[in-house]
Amino acid sequence: MSQRYIDEEGFAIEGDNLDRKRFYGKIFVGVCFVSAIIGVIALGLLIADVINEAWGWLDWTFLTYPPSQLIENYLPDGRGAGIFPALIGSIILIALTAIFTILLGVGAAIYLEEYAPQSRLTSLIEANIANLAGVPSIVYGLLGLALFVRAFQMGSSLIAGALTLTLLILPIVIVASQEAIRAVPDSRRQAAFGVGATKWEVIRDVVLPSALPGIMTGTILSLSRAIGETAPILMIGAATTMFAPPIRDGPYGTQLPDLFGPFSAMPMQIFDWATLPQEGFQHVAAAGIVVLLTVLLSMNALAIYIRYRYETKT
Amino acid sequence: MSLVDAVTDRFATDLRAESTREPPADPDTIIEARDLSVYYGETLAIDSVSMRIPERQVTAIIGPSGCGKSTFLRSINRMNDLVQGARVEGELHFKGKNVYDEDVDPVALRRLIGMVFQRPNPFPKSIYDNVAYGLRIQDKDDNLDERVEQALRQAALWDEVNDQLDKNGLDLSGGQQQRLCIARAIATDPEVILMDEPASALDPVATAQIEDLIDDLARDYTVIIVTHNMQQAARISDKTAVFLTGGELVEFGDTSQIFSDPENERVEAYITGRFG
């Protein structure tokens, strides 16, 4: 500790530039605060603007009716028009993507963290996965078009869209899951091995339960990214406008998702509305955006809830 | 006398006067190392160790840091198999069978040789599920409640937790967590319990409780305990093995003899605190 001298004027510390130094400190804090708040303000302004545009256009009818080319039908006294087929399309699309992503992503992460030997091949795979996370989404769209739509002859179907979105977010989910698995204390694995558990039992009973909150958070955040993606599903040829949701009649009067049929999704539908020339459609597009953002923010909220609910015990 | 006084008293007592246990009357050997060496990659961790560990007694393994005492302990239940690059030479016999024979399943071996670790490592589950875990995976889940209660009683934890078995194991104090881990290890009724510095992360009161417990456990189990605390070894063990730097077993014998009249000069230097 440096020495301090006391004289008649109290503490005299090498000149009196302390005030100046404190002032610089305050400027620095100010800059940091503005940096922190600017993203929040931008999002707030965006949401406020969209809600303002959509005001009066978003109601129950909008959620439950198919779209129309005529602006009159969206008005309160019109025949009713809305986002229903695209909303259902998006929900089924994201549910399918979630199933594929969790199976493949968690599987890959468990293999890489728990089983893979520390070899060059493993490092190569890991480096590649990290790089894939940065590939633009339209490239995945091209891949999906060549692979699922053409080569596997799935057509521009729900399943082709879900598989394409799975490829898109898989690298991020793998990396997030790997981190969650790596964060499980090794002492806990050893405890299970110590009472005679097999490797599989250790992973099932110790590693996965401890890593699950982290895995779920990463997966849900990736899915909420995927639900707003337009480029990949545009490339695989998803419809801009569908007049019926991708649902077919199943056995015993059930209704099942039509996995191999055409579909639309909210981003496509919003894009379509935004390109229509008649006045009023920008309000319809804004209403669509509000629906999309609501779904997306609910998913993020769920991710945050899971993190707080289950990550208290470490 | 309060517990704290008892602990201070224990620590104050002279080492050499501590070892009052009778030397064992030729008990059966349960574990025998024959020229056992363990390498981590190119590093030799323990060097050609041979020793016979008697059944139903407490054997302490002492030595300075990095002398290979934990490595030796972990080679008994093949926990070293989990370390990448670990390699074993020589033999380690458990009840006459070399555990490094190809037909030995390490998982089956670990069901007979339980382990307690340096830091308490309960699962983030309820107290009950912690103790029941081993029983469940070993399909010993008949009379589960009874077995859990018995293990907790043996681990001297039952009276403190019997009304809160649903509580998360991680919410217990450090000493309670370690006794929970002991309960988890003995619930499946293994023959040997390995303890890797089980009290080094605990306060003196909790340490005293663990030591008392080890004393009781030796009636039913063979206990092998690694410790860097010589007083502890002197207090609780029947036999003591001294490892010194280089992974060498320098001396092994009755605890009373090791602490009162060691044969090896380096051991004497280590025990009297002049080295290590």
Side-chain angles (χ1 to χ4, degrees):
Chain A
M1 193 189 272
S2 62
Q3 277 183 303
R4 291 190 299 190
Y5 299 95
I6 301 175
D7 58 17
E8 299 85 351
E9 289 143 43
F11 294 106
I13 303 169
E14 296 230 5
D16 56 351
N17 56 8
L18 258 188
D19 286 343
R20 194 161 48 89
K21 287 181 173 171
R22 283 216 182 84
F23 179 65
Y24 289 151
K26 278 179 186 154
I27 291 179
F28 182 68
V29 173
V31 170
C32 291
F33 177 73
V34 170
S35 313
I37 207 79
I38 221 157
V40 181
I41 289 175
L43 184 64
L45 284 176
L46 174 79
I47 290 176
D49 181 53
V50 170
I51 289 178
N52 183 39
E53 288 270 327
W55 198 258
W57 292 78
L58 179 56
D59 53 13
W60 187 245
T61 311
F62 185 77
L63 292 178
T64 51
Y65 274 76
S68 166
Q69 300 293 98
L70 299 170
I71 192 71
E72 301 87 68
N73 288 336
Y74 293 93
L75 297 170
D77 50 351
R79 290 166 55 198
I83 200 169
F84 181 65
L87 175 62
I88 300 300
S90 272
I91 289 172
I92 299 174
L93 185 68
I94 221 64
L96 286 173
T97 308
I99 295 168
F100 296 144
T101 311
I102 289 172
L103 290 177
L104 292 175
V106 177
I110 288 175
Y111 177 76
L112 289 171
E113 283 302 310
E114 300 286 332
Y115 289 104
Q118 283 178 5
S119 66
R120 274 196 184 173
L121 181 67
T122 310
S123 321
L124 191 73
I125 293 174
E126 291 194 338
N128 263 313
I129 288 171
N131 280 332
L132 283 175
V135 172
S137 57
I138 196 147
V139 177
Y140 284 102
L142 280 168
L143 178 64
L145 179 66
L147 195 65
F148 303 124
V149 178
R150 300 260 166 80
F152 294 166
Q153 304 208 320
M154 291 173 176
S156 301
S157 60
L158 258 180
I159 195 123
L163 288 169
T164 305
L165 288 179
T166 301
L167 286 183
L168 172 73
I169 60 172
L170 199 52
I172 307 167
V173 171
I174 293 174
V175 171
S177 305
Q178 275 185 287
E179 271 163 21
I181 289 171
R182 215 174 296 149
V184 178
D186 216 34
S187 63
R188 230 173 254 173
R189 291 186 183 84
Q190 301 226 346
F193 277 121
V195 289
T198 60
K199 180 111 189 175
W200 152 240
E201 285 167 333
V202 173
I203 291 171
R204 183 194 63 192
D205 300 334
V206 177
V207 177
L208 280 182
S210 297
L212 210 55
I215 291 173
M216 290 308 291
T217 311
T219 307
I220 294 171
L221 289 178
S222 301
L223 286 171
S224 73
R225 178 91 234 163
I227 200 172
E229 277 290 347
T230 322
I233 55 169
L234 186 79
M235 287 306 299
I236 65 149
T240 47
T241 296
M242 288 277 294
F243 294 98
I247 301 278
R248 64 182 173 82
D249 291 330
Y252 310 112
T254 52
Q255 300 238 291
L256 298 173
D258 188 5
L259 297 185
F260 292 93
F263 72 102
S264 183
M266 286 191 283
M268 297 290 296
Q269 182 64 64
I270 292 164
F271 176 70
D272 186 51
W273 280 326
T275 55
L276 290 176
Q278 287 113 305
E279 207 166 316
F281 269 109
Q282 77 269 27
H283 297 294
V284 179
I289 290 170
V290 171
V291 177
L292 177 61
L293 279 178
T294 307
V295 173
L296 196 147
L297 293 177
S298 316
M299 288 171 69
N300 289 2
L302 180 67
I304 291 167
Y305 171 76
I306 288 176
R307 188 158 54 201
Y308 275 93
R309 174 72 179 73
Y310 296 100
E311 270 196 350
T312 44
K313 292 269 185 296
T314 49
Chain B
M1 196 195 285
S2 78
L3 200 48
V4 181
D5 290 336
V7 173
T8 347
D9 191 51
R10 271 161 173 266
F11 280 102
T13 319
D14 178 37
L15 265 183
R16 292 167 193 231
E18 276 282 344
S19 300
T20 50
R21 283 165 174 268
E22 288 289 313
D26 192 34
D28 292 330
T29 299
I30 186 163
I31 286 166
E32 182 184 359
R34 293 183 190 165
D35 290 327
L36 186 78
S37 297
V38 179
Y39 296 83
Y40 293 123
E42 293 303 305
T43 317
L44 179 65
I46 59 174
D47 185 4
S48 196
V49 167
S50 296
M51 66 191 280
R52 287 166 177 231
I53 295 172
E55 200 170 9
R56 283 174 215 264
Q57 295 198 3
V58 180
T59 299
I61 300 172
I62 61 171
S65 302
C67 68
K69 52 192 191 299
S70 284
T71 300
F72 177 72
L73 194 75
R74 284 158 179 269
S75 68
I76 296 172
N77 66 343
R78 292 188 60 175
M79 285 298 269
N80 281 333
D81 288 18
L82 306 173
V83 180
Q84 200 161 21
R87 188 161 52 84
V88 174
E89 282 174 11
E91 296 178 0
L92 191 122
H93 291 251
F94 170 59
K95 302 178 90 175
K97 171 83 180 161
N98 181 10
V99 303
Y100 288 97
D101 277 350
E102 280 194 8
D103 59 346
V104 172
D105 181 345
V107 173
L109 178 72
R110 288 180 206 128
R111 293 179 173 197
L112 300 173
I113 305 181
M115 188 155 195
V116 177
F117 299 84
Q118 186 169 1
R119 297 202 156 267
N121 56 356
F123 300 123
K125 303 172 190 266
S126 70
I127 291 169
Y128 185 95
D129 286 340
N130 262 286
V131 182
Y133 182 71
L135 293 164
R136 284 185 174 133
I137 59 167
Q138 296 190 20
D139 300 322
K140 294 176 179 168
D141 45 8
D142 52 311
N143 305 325
L144 203 56
D145 292 355
E146 222 170 273
R147 286 167 183 263
V148 168
E149 178 177 339
Q150 202 206 340
L152 285 168
R153 282 190 190 282
Q154 274 189 291
L157 191 59
W158 176 254
D159 293 340
E160 290 162 60
V161 302
N162 65 59
D163 55 344
Q164 44 180 353
L165 294 176
D166 294 337
K167 190 169 153 180
N168 194 308
L170 290 171
D171 291 336
L172 296 172
S173 73
Q176 288 175 322
Q177 287 190 14
Q178 194 62 301
R179 278 179 282 147
L180 178 61
C181 292
I182 292 173
R184 181 176 64 192
I186 60 181
T188 58
D189 204 24
E191 306 201 15
V192 179
I193 302 167
L194 308 177
M195 296 187 165
D196 190 358
E197 304 193 28
S200 67
L202 305 179
D203 62 71
V205 175
T207 300
Q209 288 173 325
I210 299 279
E211 289 183 4
D212 287 342
L213 183 54
I214 291 169
D215 223 34
D216 296 339
L217 290 176
R219 265 182 262 134
D220 301 310
Y221 306 97
T222 304
V223 178
I224 306 174
I225 176 170
V226 162
T227 175
H228 57 219
N229 179 336
M230 281 179 284
Q231 289 93 331
Q232 189 172 63
R235 281 193 298 270
I236 62 176
S237 69
D238 304 289
K239 294 267 189 184
T240 297
V242 186
F243 280 67
L244 290 179
T245 316
E248 229 184 310
L249 172 65
V250 183
E251 191 161 348
F252 177 53
D254 291 337
T255 300
S256 51
Q257 180 254 317
I258 295 269
F259 282 99
S260 58
D261 183 23
E263 286 171 10
N264 187 293
E265 276 176 33
R266 287 166 71 202
V267 171
E268 185 168 21
Y270 175 66
I271 284 170
T272 51
R274 280 186 278 126
F275 153 74

